Amino acid sequence: MDYSKQNWADGQTITAAKLNAMDDAIFEASANFPTVRLDGNILRGVSDKPLNVTMSGEGAFPKKLLASGQNIVKMPTSGSGTVGGLNYEFTPSGLNVHGTATRSLGAVVELAPLLVNNGICLPDGFYLRINKKLPSNCSIAIWDDDYVVSHVGPTNETKIGATNGLMHVALWVSAAGAVDIDGLQVAIIYGENNSYEWTNGTGNVYDTGVSAAFSVDDSATVAVPGFENDGDTIVLLADSTTQPTFSTEIIGGYSSVIAMLEASNPLWGKHYHACGDSFTAGSYVTDVDKATGEPLTANYLVAKYNNMKFTKDAIGGSDMTNVSGASNPFSVDRYLTIPEDTDYLTLQFGLNELDIAKEPSTLGTSADSGNTTMWGAYNTVLEWILTNRPNAKVGVIISDSWMTETYANALIDICKFWGVPWLDLGGDPQVSLNIGGRRGGSGITLSETAKSLRDNQFKISSGNAHPNGAGNRWRYTALQEFMRRL
């Protein structure tokens, strides 16, 4: 779906059906959002959409662009001939070489015609992997304009680094004698990634439209064509005569949007772990993500709209404090399962244990270390988080519907004590009204008409005070901004 000014015109009425359609369009498209990583002159993880790349610096000569997968250049699938007494044949299973070399240092079978035919020089950082042990008189040789390096067999899955660039890859016979090889395959890969394929074939080469080399001060912007994304695509900006030493910067097109989001949005791509009761679990919510089946809670929507990894520990009816009759109290052992890689963490409890804040024996004090009082339970959990998940940004959410003044005020004191921010859905006038009105004791005089209209709009039903799908969509923006400030 294309988004234009008309889609978001002032005063436009957006129906639930249209909102859902827009939501589906956004997140079906998000499957193609790349996580772009610059690695020298390699662009990893770009999408299958065109983008612009700016190059500058002496020696940059980007006439060609090579788009392929982990196995940058693959062997041909057919072709045969005779060289120096050896008969060779390329097959889908690899290269077969048989015969007796008539001379040393001269019998060469070119393994990388894609490089030769297109004048592509791969820069430093590339490796070869070989799937066969070679006869002692054979080796795999790497050539640039001149001989660079060779690896003398026998060898099996040994890396050979292209430390001075790479333009040719050849089977090199270093001494006269018999050669008997079947199914030889060479994978040309970049860096230390151990994931590679032996399947034969070739990558795709594109012209960049640049006809001359750059001086130190020159630069040019070239359009990278759209291509089929195989899941881990590598785009190599290649040089026909010199090794590229230029820098790259994505400046426009589809990927620049992602780069902008990554730079400006602290939530983008992070791991969000949401802990809580039925509000976090999405109890009674019938709106679900079509791809994952996850209820569209405010928590999940924050993760979804910010490209976050989302996990949760949410059980309807559960408590924080380990008092008599408590249901799945979080402070017993659930908090111990908070993932180590959590970047953002929210806690939303209290609706099922409101009465404990009324009694001193179950409210406790800031000195409590056991989990059988409200203070002690939060002390236990928050101290563990700050000690064992020190890089996780933690926030507490104070629910709105049926939350009491006593419990909310006690929870605010606990948050102040531990230096943890809180989002008060029912008592903060800067949070848009959702369900349950404004909490008693907040000092806010609220129109009963406003309360009734919002309750009718956002509650599951007149007899069920949980937020419905619309209520979660409404409140997710408040949660999102709260988390961005953590």
Side-chain angles (χ1 to χ4, degrees):
M1 178 176 182
D2 294 327
Y3 295 92
S4 63
K5 186 175 180 180
Q6 181 179 0
N7 293 115
W8 305 97
D10 291 341
Q12 179 183 11
T13 300
I14 301 179
T15 64
K18 185 170 184 178
L19 189 62
N20 287 332
M22 293 164 68
D23 174 70
D24 292 343
I26 292 172
F27 291 103
E28 286 170 7
S30 71
N32 290 323
F33 277 16
T35 302
V36 178
R37 191 165 76 251
L38 297 180
D39 191 358
N41 64 323
I42 307 300
L43 303 181
R44 292 183 179 270
V46 299
S47 74
D48 54 2
K49 305 294 190 296
L51 65 151
N52 294 326
V53 180
T54 296
M55 290 161 290
S56 62
E58 188 173 9
F61 200 55
K63 287 185 176 180
K64 300 287 184 180
L65 180 149
L66 175 65
S68 184
Q70 287 286 355
N71 194 355
I72 296 295
V73 179
K74 303 172 184 178
M75 296 169 62
T77 57
S78 62
S80 60
T82 301
V83 56
L86 299 180
N87 298 315
Y88 68 89
E89 178 186 15
F90 288 102
T91 74
S93 298
L95 172 67
N96 303 329
V97 183
H98 300 282
T100 301
T102 58
R103 58 191 176 90
S104 63
L105 301 179
V108 178
V109 178
E110 180 65 60
L111 301 180
L114 185 65
L115 296 176
V116 176
N117 295 341
N118 289 283
I120 295 173
C121 174
L122 302 182
D124 292 353
F126 282 86
Y127 292 91
L128 304 184
R129 285 190 181 269
I130 307 161
N131 74 328
K132 291 282 185 180
K133 290 185 178 181
L134 300 179
S136 59
N137 61 330
C138 295
S139 63
I140 299 296
I142 296 174
W143 294 71
D144 194 342
D145 291 333
D146 298 308
Y147 170 80
V148 175
V149 67
S150 67
H151 186 84
V152 178
T155 181
N156 186 27
E157 295 193 6
T158 298
K159 291 190 303 185
I160 309 171
T163 55
N164 293 296
L166 181 156
M167 185 174 286
H168 302 266
V169 179
L171 171 67
W172 180 264
V173 178
S174 56
V179 177
D180 185 12
I181 302 172
D182 283 313
L184 174 68
Q185 295 182 341
V186 176
I188 303 177
I189 61 172
Y190 182 73
E192 296 293 335
N193 197 317
N194 290 322
S195 175
Y196 55 91
E197 301 173 356
W198 297 109
T199 308
N200 292 335
T202 58
N204 298 315
V205 177
Y206 302 96
D207 289 324
T208 62
V210 176
S211 58
F214 303 141
S215 69
V216 175
D217 297 325
D218 290 338
S219 66
T221 300
V222 299
V224 176
F227 52 87
E228 188 68 22
N229 188 340
D230 62 4
D232 191 9
T233 300
I234 299 174
V235 176
L236 169 65
L237 303 175
D239 185 335
S240 62
T241 59
T242 65
Q243 179 174 315
T245 57
F246 53 87
S247 61
T248 59
E249 178 185 2
I250 299 173
I251 62 166
Y254 198 74
S255 293
S256 66
V257 176
I258 304 305
M260 178 186 69
L261 288 172
E262 290 178 331
S264 63
N265 181 359
L267 304 182
W268 190 261
K270 299 299 194 302
H271 181 183
Y272 174 27
H273 187 64
C275 304
D277 49 33
S278 57
F279 276 42
T280 309
S283 300
Y284 311 105
V285 176
T286 57
D287 296 353
V288 299
D289 185 285
K290 295 177 181 178
T292 64
E294 185 73 28
L296 295 180
T297 61
N299 313 82
Y300 182 72
L301 289 172
V302 170
K304 186 173 183 179
Y305 288 137
N306 290 277
N307 191 37
M308 303 179 83
K309 174 183 176 182
F310 181 72
T311 55
K312 69 180 182 182
D313 179 358
I315 303 174
S318 65
D319 304 306
M320 170 60 77
T321 310
N322 188 26
V323 295
S324 176
S327 174
N328 297 298
F330 187 78
S331 62
V332 173
D333 55 14
R334 286 170 59 188
Y335 68 96
L336 299 174
T337 65
I338 296 171
E340 291 185 10
D341 64 341
T342 298
D343 298 301
Y344 287 85
L345 172 68
T346 57
L347 305 173
Q348 186 173 6
F349 292 96
L351 289 175
N352 304 299
E353 57 178 16
L354 296 172
D355 289 342
I356 66 172
K358 297 178 181 179
E359 300 295 331
S361 61
T362 50
L363 171 61
T365 70
S366 61
D368 290 353
S369 58
N371 62 9
T372 56
T373 67
M374 179 179 174
W375 264 98
Y378 276 99
N379 286 345
T380 298
V381 171
L382 292 175
E383 181 177 359
W384 185 91
I385 292 171
L386 269 61
T387 301
N388 297 280
R389 300 293 183 264
N391 295 320
K393 295 186 175 182
V394 188
V396 168
I397 304 170
I398 303 176
S399 299
D400 42 1
S401 186
W402 82 83
M403 172 57 66
T404 64
E405 177 186 3
T406 305
Y407 192 97
N409 288 342
L411 187 50
I412 289 172
D413 287 341
I414 292 170
C415 289
K416 290 178 179 178
F417 184 77
W418 282 100
V420 172
W422 66 92
L423 172 64
D424 191 349
L425 296 176
D428 185 349
Q430 298 304 311
V431 176
S432 186
L433 182 64
N434 203 271
I435 54 177
R438 294 303 185 193
R439 189 175 59 251
S442 63
I444 301 171
T445 301
L446 178 68
S447 161
E448 285 298 319
T449 300
K451 178 181 183 302
S452 177
L453 290 172
R454 287 306 189 208
D455 278 350
N456 291 337
Q457 181 182 7
F458 293 138
K459 285 168 56 174
I460 292 291
S461 67
S462 59
N464 187 332
H466 287 78
N468 58 21
N472 276 286
R473 286 183 183 275
W474 189 272
R475 68 178 60 204
Y476 106 84
T477 55
L479 177 57
Q480 176 177 263
E481 294 310 307
F482 169 67
M483 289 178 58
R484 286 178 176 173
R485 296 194 304 269
L486 289 178

